[in-house]
Amino acid sequence: MTTGHCPELLAPAGTWDCAKAAVENGADAIYFGLDRFNARMRSQNFTEADLPELMAFLHSRGVKGYVTFNTLIFPQELAAAERYLRTMMAAGVDAAIVQDVGMCRLIRHLSADFPIHGSTQMTVTSAAGVEFAHSLGAQLVVLARECSLKDIEKIQQQTKDIALPLEVFVHGALCVAYSGQCLTSEALGGRSANRGECAQACRMTYDMKVDGELIDLGDKQYLLSPQDLSGLPVLPDLIKSGVSCLKIEGRLKAPEYVANVTRVYRQALDRAWQENGTNSAIKSGTNSAMKSGTKNGTNSATTPTPTEKLALKLGNRPISYEPTADERYNLEMAFSRGLYTGWFRGINNQELVHARFAKKRGVYLGDVERVTKHQVELKTTIPVKAGDGIVFDSGHPDTDQGGRIYGVEQRGRNICLSFGKHSMNLRRVQPGQKVWKTSDPELEKTLRQSYRVEQPAVQQPIDIEVHGVAGEPVVAIATDPQGHIAQAASEKVLETARNKPLTTEKLQQQLARLGNTPFKLGQFTNQLADGLIVPVSELNRLRRQLVEQLLEQRQQPKVWAMAVERSHRDLLPDPAETPSNPATLVPLVRNGDQLRTVLQCGLTTVYCELENPVHYRAAVALTRELNPRAKLYVAPPRITKPGEQYILKQVRQSNADGYLVRNYDHLQFFADQPCIGDFSLNVANPITAAYFKTEFGLEKLTASYDLNVAQLMDLLTSAPANWFDITIHQHMPMFHMEHCVFCAFLSEGTDFTNCGRPCENHDVVLRDRTGTDHVLQADAGCRNTLYNGVAQTGAEFIPRLMDQGARRFRIDFLNESPTQVQQILTCYQQLLNGDMTGHQLWRTLKLSSQLGVTRGTLERH
């Protein structure tokens, strides 16, 4: 995909003040949620009734507004979701940011042109994901935060035929898990991240047990809490990659944060764009332009432009951007757990997570050198003044001391800080502790003033041209960057001047007086005949009319096509009759001993997930040997990034009976094979289910783990029940991460090339604050999954699910022994046979000393 435009800067807004802060500090667009169906339900959100006024305000300022419609939608919510979508379209919203595949289908069913932006919750990490979003009718897709610059460039190259614009997060909090694939809040508290209710378990403390022993990690307690993302140092590389939009995270943040970060990136983006001469997508655009010029044989085409010369000079070399001291200070004061370039420069597990704290720290001042009864002495180059907030970092955030500075005294090269009486316990402050500046009231005041203004602080250029001859009115025409055009004519005609005729300079000066409007004069063209004059009052009236017309046009809602006669019901599949075949168990195993056990139990369908796909061939052979009637479906890793097709080839070389597909690459790569859709496809409603079933011919679909039993029953009612696998027993896969905990804390390496592969030699669990041990496992892509240490069962709901037509019940094993596997299978088989109740099964498994079991998420919400 090539572009001749500077990337759009997209800022978050949870409130009106945030929206104004973004607009007045240079955002090209904002994104915001409504009071339902958005992934930040804990934030303040706009309402449907706010939409007309909000969109009129944004469009009057030349700013776009995108609604975050980025949660999974449950069956009973489809009608409400349709109403929301129609309201958005009628209000002229510029796009909906969407996670749910079914909602993409519904939008395109209702409207041929209303823009869809594929959310980062869709977990798009490859060209196949971009193509999938394009096939759903998306006009843009937000890539997963885990994509590096190299990944982005590969994706751009591999999707150049469809040229779908790409958006990336450039600043803000990093989720440690892949968005759309985090089930931690769901597993631990029934609050789904896929429903906008993330409980931020990644920001909690964890202990690490290796081979059964707790290990001492010193002051590293926050093992899953990444530093905050700052793409500022790689800004020119992001421009060079051809991404269309740079997104700032922060819908839960205050307007001061929005103002601060938006202003920094606006100024930096403009500077980087101008300094690097980027007027086209440098890399791909240059090559195509040069080839085209050579082919056409024209001299002008074969002579590189300055931009093309720059691109040829840069090649694949990273382009550095050195943030200014003010930029670094402002971003750290806005909110910082430490700022880092995330995954843009590739994987560095030693730097991504420092693990020392998970709350805002701000700007590092220095280390404590001396503590007296009333003062703390340190050396710093950062300005500090009375009223600033600071915190002393003891290495144990729960006991850190912090507060407001009362006085600052210079002592040689050092400063001495004093504090209000009883505001801080200085006896707990020790030499050597790090000191952080967490608050700057003066900066915060300046930021508030930036958006609490009566006249626009950011103005867009409008081009004005004037025409006229003697005896005729002056005609002025204005155009804005969005393509609106206004025309006004003077009431008085032009006359021949006796002296001081109108000059271009005088006209331009008069028409440029746009100070209290959203506009500034761009290009001015004077087409008046020479030697003419008209009263200045007429020019002022022309200017006011042009502004009024442009604003009126801008504030009109965009008109999207909307099929009134269509409905979500048109997309619903026909529910099939309740099947009469007996219910069966479908186990998923994760090692050879478990596989051998389930095969000996006589089960005819088995799923298998191994860390190393090379071992799948042996698993297939074992299945053929022990139970020739059994079908073995093997699972590729959940994420596929550019360059990882070799892993899928290894999986396919096993010649398994079928494959458990988990992402868009799998749908494409295994299209000609028998496939089962796994839970990671996030099938939560019948429209999504019908799309995967009919478009890709999947044999079965695993129902989303976000559904409780009532919602699951609704799904089985609204789509054929025999389409679904129902996972009835499992250790919930909570975090699925690019971050490798094995590498970060059991080696000194940065990634798989130099870590020594501790994942192959050690068993690791992470113990949370409740004392529960959660199992950590790596996959072939060196990604980690943290599984809930307590298995959950939905045994008590099986009779109701069977009455609704469910027949395949999936049991996912993790690290159970063969004896435990056999016990669990026996209990569930007795339940299906009517020889045991769900309550008895739950009690039986719960009482087993080695099997922690909870009733789990099916009963929650």
Side-chain angles (χ1 to χ4, degrees), residues 181-192:
Q181 301 297 318
C182 183
L183 293 163
T184 311
S185 298
E186 175 75 17
L188 299 180
R191 295 171 49 183
S192 169

Side-chain angles (χ1 to χ4, degrees), residues 669-687:
F669 190 86
F670 299 103
D672 60 342
Q673 300 293 308
C675 291
I676 306 290
D678 205 359
F679 69 92
S680 52
L681 296 182
N682 285 326
V683 176
N685 62 65
I687 301 177

Side-chain angles (χ1 to χ4, degrees), residues 745-793:
F745 301 106
L746 295 181
S747 82
E748 295 182 357
T750 57
D751 59 21
F752 72 96
T753 64
N754 53 22
C755 68
R757 306 286 294 181
C759 57
E760 296 179 352
N761 304 311
H762 299 287
D763 293 325
V764 173
V765 300
L766 301 187
R767 175 170 289 178
D768 66 19
R769 295 188 300 176
T770 71
T772 303
D773 290 344
H774 304 293
V775 178
L776 186 73
Q777 290 193 351
D779 66 17
C782 289
R783 294 172 190 102
N784 287 188
T785 305
L786 188 68
Y787 292 90
N788 195 337
V790 178
Q792 70 171 44
T793 176

Side-chain angles (χ1 to χ4, degrees), residues 116-134:
I116 301 169
H117 290 183
S119 169
T120 191
Q121 296 284 118
M122 290 185 75
T123 325
V124 174
T125 61
S126 66
V130 174
E131 291 165 359
F132 180 86
H134 182 259

Side-chain angles (χ1 to χ4, degrees), residues 391-610:
V391 65
F392 296 100
D393 187 346
S394 65
H396 300 282
D398 290 341
T399 60
D400 286 345
Q401 294 292 298
R404 296 278 175 191
I405 298 171
Y406 183 77
V408 181
E409 178 186 335
Q410 195 73 38
R411 184 172 296 171
R413 294 185 176 180
N414 290 2
I415 60 171
C416 292
L417 307 179
S418 57
F419 305 89
K421 193 174 182 179
H422 306 306
S423 65
M424 193 179 304
N425 184 359
L426 293 186
R427 287 178 295 181
R428 302 179 70 172
V429 178
Q430 303 295 324
Q433 289 182 355
K434 297 182 182 301
V435 187
W436 302 86
K437 182 176 177 179
T438 59
S439 173
D440 183 341
E442 187 176 296
L443 174 61
E444 292 163 9
K445 180 180 178 181
T446 301
L447 292 169
R448 283 192 293 272
Q449 290 172 342
S450 75
Y451 60 87
R452 292 177 179 173
V453 291
E454 292 186 4
Q455 64 183 45
V458 174
Q459 296 173 303
Q460 289 194 330
I462 58 172
D463 296 338
I464 298 178
E465 57 183 77
V466 293
H467 302 263
V469 295
E472 298 288 340
V474 181
V475 177
I477 301 171
T479 56
D480 71 3
Q482 288 73 37
H484 300 109
I485 187 165
Q487 179 173 312
S490 64
E491 292 181 352
K492 296 184 179 180
V493 299
L494 287 158
E495 298 178 355
T496 302
R498 296 179 182 177
N499 52 33
K500 294 185 179 181
L502 284 174
T503 63
T504 298
E505 291 73 23
K506 180 69 178 289
L507 282 166
Q508 184 168 338
Q509 181 184 38
Q510 205 63 34
L511 294 175
R513 293 181 177 178
L514 297 161
N516 62 344
T517 76
F519 307 117
K520 62 183 178 181
L521 183 61
Q523 183 176 340
F524 176 73
T525 305
N526 179 14
Q527 298 288 359
L528 290 183
D530 293 334
L532 301 176
I533 193 168
V534 73
V536 170
S537 59
E538 285 296 287
L539 297 178
N540 291 339
R541 194 175 62 81
L542 285 176
R543 185 186 66 241
R544 289 193 296 269
Q545 285 187 354
L546 293 177
V547 168
E548 289 170 2
Q549 288 181 38
L550 288 177
L551 285 176
E552 183 179 359
Q553 291 178 44
R554 283 180 166 213
Q555 291 173 357
Q556 292 299 312
K558 290 191 175 181
V559 180
W560 304 114
M562 185 160 44
V564 179
E565 73 283 0
R566 293 186 175 184
S567 162
H568 69 277
R569 289 183 290 273
D570 306 333
L571 301 176
L572 298 178
D574 292 327
E577 294 182 5
T578 302
S580 57
N581 53 306
T584 60
L585 299 177
V586 181
L588 181 144
V589 298
R590 290 192 167 97
N591 60 53
D593 289 339
Q594 291 178 349
L595 176 61
R596 185 179 295 273
T597 301
V598 301
L599 290 172
Q600 290 171 341
C601 289
L603 295 168
T604 56
T605 302
V606 180
Y607 301 156
C608 183
E609 179 181 10
L610 303 179

Side-chain angles (χ1 to χ4, degrees), residues 538-850:
E538 285 296 287
L539 297 178
N540 291 339
R541 194 175 62 81
L542 285 176
R543 185 186 66 241
R544 289 193 296 269
Q545 285 187 354
L546 293 177
V547 168
E548 289 170 2
Q549 288 181 38
L550 288 177
L551 285 176
E552 183 179 359
Q553 291 178 44
R554 283 180 166 213
Q555 291 173 357
Q556 292 299 312
K558 290 191 175 181
V559 180
W560 304 114
M562 185 160 44
V564 179
E565 73 283 0
R566 293 186 175 184
S567 162
H568 69 277
R569 289 183 290 273
D570 306 333
L571 301 176
L572 298 178
D574 292 327
E577 294 182 5
T578 302
S580 57
N581 53 306
T584 60
L585 299 177
V586 181
L588 181 144
V589 298
R590 290 192 167 97
N591 60 53
D593 289 339
Q594 291 178 349
L595 176 61
R596 185 179 295 273
T597 301
V598 301
L599 290 172
Q600 290 171 341
C601 289
L603 295 168
T604 56
T605 302
V606 180
Y607 301 156
C608 183
E609 179 181 10
L610 303 179
E611 177 184 345
N612 189 344
V614 172
H615 297 152
Y616 279 139
R617 186 171 293 182
V620 171
L622 182 64
T623 303
R624 304 281 185 269
E625 175 189 346
L626 295 183
N627 188 350
R629 294 175 53 249
K631 289 186 176 182
L632 186 69
Y633 292 75
V634 300
R638 210 192 310 180
I639 299 295
T640 305
K641 293 180 75 175
E644 293 183 352
Q645 291 284 307
Y646 74 94
I647 298 177
L648 304 187
K649 292 177 182 177
Q650 289 177 340
V651 173
R652 186 158 181 165
Q653 287 169 358
S654 67
N655 292 318
D657 297 293
Y659 302 90
L660 201 60
V661 298
R662 297 164 150 192
N663 63 38
Y664 314 116
D665 287 84
H666 300 170
L667 289 169
Q668 192 178 89
F669 190 86
F670 299 103
D672 60 342
Q673 300 293 308
C675 291
I676 306 290
D678 205 359
F679 69 92
S680 52
L681 296 182
N682 285 326
V683 176
N685 62 65
I687 301 177
T688 301
Y691 186 73
F692 282 117
K693 194 75 174 66
T694 58
E695 292 294 318
F696 298 96
L698 302 183
E699 292 183 349
K700 301 291 178 184
L701 301 166
T702 306
S704 166
Y705 292 170
D706 287 286
L707 301 170
N708 65 23
V709 68
Q711 293 151 355
L712 193 52
M713 295 287 285
D714 289 338
L715 181 62
L716 298 178
T717 303
S718 56
N722 61 4
W723 281 4
F724 299 101
D725 281 354
I726 308 299
T727 304
I728 210 69
H729 184 106
Q730 65 165 319
H731 294 267
M732 183 78 85
M734 301 192 303
F735 295 109
H736 188 61
M737 308 172 281
E738 192 75 27
H739 170 50
C740 182
V741 180
F742 293 96
C743 176
F745 301 106
L746 295 181
S747 82
E748 295 182 357
T750 57
D751 59 21
F752 72 96
T753 64
N754 53 22
C755 68
R757 306 286 294 181
C759 57
E760 296 179 352
N761 304 311
H762 299 287
D763 293 325
V764 173
V765 300
L766 301 187
R767 175 170 289 178
D768 66 19
R769 295 188 300 176
T770 71
T772 303
D773 290 344
H774 304 293
V775 178
L776 186 73
Q777 290 193 351
D779 66 17
C782 289
R783 294 172 190 102
N784 287 188
T785 305
L786 188 68
Y787 292 90
N788 195 337
V790 178
Q792 70 171 44
T793 176
E796 290 164 286
F797 306 114
I798 285 182
R800 289 171 58 189
L801 294 167
M802 289 177 63
D803 288 343
Q804 198 56 55
R807 288 297 181 268
R808 284 166 56 108
F809 296 99
R810 178 168 151 176
I811 298 175
D812 285 13
F813 294 109
L814 180 60
N815 55 358
E816 290 87 351
S817 68
T819 300
Q820 292 169 334
V821 168
Q822 189 165 31
Q823 178 192 9
I824 292 169
L825 289 176
T826 299
C827 286
Y828 278 99
Q829 193 59 60
Q830 289 176 340
L831 175 60
L832 295 188
N833 293 341
D835 299 329
M836 178 183 284
T837 67
H839 182 70
Q840 288 172 331
L841 183 146
W842 181 79
R843 287 178 59 86
T844 299
L845 295 185
K846 187 175 176 63
L847 289 173
S848 177
S849 61
Q850 295 178 343

